[in-house]
Amino acid sequence: MRLILPIALVAFSPAFAQVTPPADDHTDGHTDGAASENLTLETAPFRQEIAIACDFKTECVEDEPCTETEFTPQITGIAGGLTPDDLVVQSTMVTDAETVELLGVKSGMALSLSGGTFAARHLLSITETGAARYTVHYADGPFVISYLGTCN
């Protein structure tokens, strides 16, 4: 989450440029304001391809008892940021039932992604050790489906 502030600062750099005098010396390796305004995941100083396979063995639907399952979504995408510690992630999760665009953050090996539509909001959390929780919150009902498993 520490990356959100630097990205917000980059997004508002034109406003800061009005009150911050330009640096004359570019020998320290930093780019000027114009270059930082065009920062994207593809042009971020630190980039990483995302390719994750998950294996969920437990499914819990609303308040019913949990059952065994074999749910194996695949997540692919790109991560990028100003430092290698915290990265913004843009990804796609593919399942047998659907394909969902997910956005989030990666800190070390931990990952938190969310996305979907208003009708079905998706949240995937993966710990440093690979333990994972995936939930889908449906507006119609409303009801929730949760999955417990691992991702690597």
Side-chain angles (χ1 to χ4, degrees):
M1 295 307 286
R2 292 178 289 186
L3 184 58
I4 299 303
L5 180 59
I7 287 180
L9 292 175
V10 169
F12 293 106
S13 62
F16 291 128
Q18 296 172 5
V19 296
T20 306
D24 293 329
D25 182 11
H26 293 286
T27 59
D28 62 354
H30 290 91
T31 59
D32 62 18
S36 65
E37 288 177 33
N38 297 322
L39 185 66
T40 66
L41 288 178
E42 289 80 17
T43 62
F46 297 94
R47 290 176 306 283
Q48 184 178 75
E49 294 294 320
I50 301 293
I52 299 170
C54 295
D55 184 20
F56 292 104
K57 298 290 186 188
T58 304
E59 178 183 67
C60 307
V61 178
E62 196 62 24
D63 59 355
E64 298 173 11
C66 296
T67 60
E68 288 186 24
T69 191
E70 290 185 19
F71 179 56
T72 57
Q74 304 289 315
I75 297 99
T76 58
I78 186 169
L82 300 174
T83 71
D85 300 325
D86 295 302
L87 304 173
V88 172
V89 178
Q90 179 179 1
S91 64
T92 302
M93 180 176 65
V94 177
T95 71
D96 290 339
E98 63 184 323
T99 298
V100 181
E101 298 296 322
L102 301 173
L103 301 174
V105 293
K106 184 175 188 292
S107 182
M109 296 301 293
L111 184 66
S112 177
L113 300 171
S114 64
T117 64
F118 178 79
R121 297 299 302 161
H122 300 256
L123 175 63
L124 173 65
S125 300
I126 306 170
T127 68
E128 292 276 342
T129 62
R133 301 296 181 261
Y134 169 60
T135 59
V136 184
H137 296 245
Y138 293 95
D140 189 23
F143 76 98
V144 66
I145 300 174
S146 299
Y147 294 92
L148 307 134
T150 58
C151 296
N152 57 36

